[in-house]
Amino acid sequence: MTVKIAVLVSGRGSNLQAIMDSIEKGYIKNAAINVVISNKANAYALERAGNYGISTVFLDPEEYDRAEYDKAILDILNRYDTDLLLLAGYFRLLGNEIIEVYRNRIMNIHPSLLPAFKGLHAQKQAFEYGVKVAGCTVHFVDEGLDSGPIILQRCVPVLPEDTEEALTARILEQEHVIYPEAVRLFTEGKLKIEGRNVVTRT
Ligand code: GAR
């Protein structure tokens, strides 16, 4: 059975790219990205998806109120018979109705070791805080901000000569490793949620 994936994006789409590549290379099996939805017309992620022959939709937030916007997303997810929804650099809060319908089937990548540094500019927050270890997290999405059960995390060191940009790049490299890995575990049926704890069967 093919796991049908939809991806929400807002910008560059390098995580989307990593997942598309992982499907193409056969690292993630039995899965297909059927649609990529953006809240930004000029998101480069849309171009990346188009290059792979994936359907793309730009949903203009200016044209809907909040509830209607979520309804429009839900309609697309239903139309594409979505099994798994991925947030990949999606900079807009997801409505509760979507979370309810797709509970435990929505993943997000966040560029910090959650629960530290939630919200925007997580790498900058970590850098300015002076942490010695930073990283990234893939988690299931619940109603809170970056608060759902954690699937995978990866650490990177913060080096004495680091800049925020260098740290951000080091974290991003690991994002491109753990997001495809988390999707693979999901598509192989190896993730089980027990309360806050995600148990991985190997
Ligand atoms: C990534 O670093 C992702 O972790 C972050 O935005 C970037 C998107 O890059 N997401 C968040 O901060 C969400 N709170 P991409 O568009 O190249 O994948």
Side-chain angles (χ1 to χ4, degrees), residues 11-16 48 88-91 108-111 119-123 146 172 175-176:
R12 180 179 55 188
S14 69
N15 278 290
L16 167 69
R48 292 184 194 263
Y90 182 63
F91 289 94
N108 181 43
I109 179 93
H110 185 75
L120 291 176
H121 311 300
Q123 307 95 328
D146 299 324
L172 188 64
E175 293 183 37
H176 298 161

Side-chain angles (χ1 to χ4, degrees), residues 5 14-23 25 27-29 84 86 107 109 138 152 172-188:
I5 299 173
S14 69
N15 278 290
L16 167 69
Q17 186 73 54
I19 292 161
M20 292 190 303
D21 290 344
S22 298
I23 292 173
K25 285 191 209 122
Y27 173 72
I28 299 171
K29 296 184 189 66
L84 174 65
L86 302 178
M107 287 183 187
I109 179 93
V138 181
L152 291 173
L172 188 64
E173 212 174 290
Q174 297 309 316
E175 293 183 37
H176 298 161
V177 175
I178 62 169
Y179 213 178
E181 189 179 346
V183 173
R184 181 176 65 83
L185 290 168
F186 182 95
T187 59
E188 291 178 359

Side-chain angles (χ1 to χ4, degrees), residues 42-64:
N42 58 357
Y44 183 54
L46 292 176
E47 210 172 308
R48 292 184 194 263
N51 291 340
Y52 269 66
I54 295 169
S55 301
T56 59
V57 182
F58 162 53
L59 275 184
D60 189 349
E62 304 285 307
E63 285 181 13
Y64 306 83

Side-chain angles (χ1 to χ4, degrees), residues 1-43:
M1 197 198 80
T2 301
V3 175
K4 295 181 276 306
I5 299 173
V7 187
L8 279 167
V9 296
S10 299
R12 180 179 55 188
S14 69
N15 278 290
L16 167 69
Q17 186 73 54
I19 292 161
M20 292 190 303
D21 290 344
S22 298
I23 292 173
E24 191 174 72
K25 285 191 209 122
Y27 173 72
I28 299 171
K29 296 184 189 66
N30 307 324
I33 300 177
N34 287 354
V35 63
V36 172
I37 307 165
S38 174
N39 64 327
K40 299 278 182 198
N42 58 357

Side-chain angles (χ1 to χ4, degrees), residues 51-156:
N51 291 340
Y52 269 66
I54 295 169
S55 301
T56 59
V57 182
F58 162 53
L59 275 184
D60 189 349
E62 304 285 307
E63 285 181 13
Y64 306 83
D65 70 22
R66 193 154 259 294
E68 284 170 352
Y69 194 82
D70 291 338
K71 183 80 180 60
I73 294 178
L74 262 181
D75 283 347
I76 296 168
L77 298 180
N78 287 337
R79 199 178 322 144
Y80 284 89
D81 207 10
T82 303
D83 300 308
L84 174 65
L85 174 60
L86 302 178
L87 313 190
Y90 182 63
F91 289 94
R92 201 183 144 90
L93 281 179
L94 210 54
N96 285 355
E97 197 186 336
I98 301 176
I99 294 168
E100 192 59 50
V101 173
Y102 284 90
R103 187 166 305 282
N104 299 340
R105 295 189 293 145
I106 310 174
M107 287 183 187
N108 181 43
I109 179 93
H110 185 75
S112 79
L113 293 172
L114 289 172
F117 310 121
K118 295 177 177 180
L120 291 176
H121 311 300
Q123 307 95 328
K124 183 172 195 278
Q125 292 183 54
F127 187 71
E128 289 179 351
Y129 199 89
V131 296
K132 303 300 180 218
V133 175
C136 48
T137 303
V138 181
H139 63 93
F140 283 112
V141 172
D142 66 9
E143 283 81 355
L145 175 67
D146 299 324
S147 65
I150 290 170
I151 303 165
L152 291 173
Q153 292 187 301
R154 193 60 80 85
C155 296
V156 302

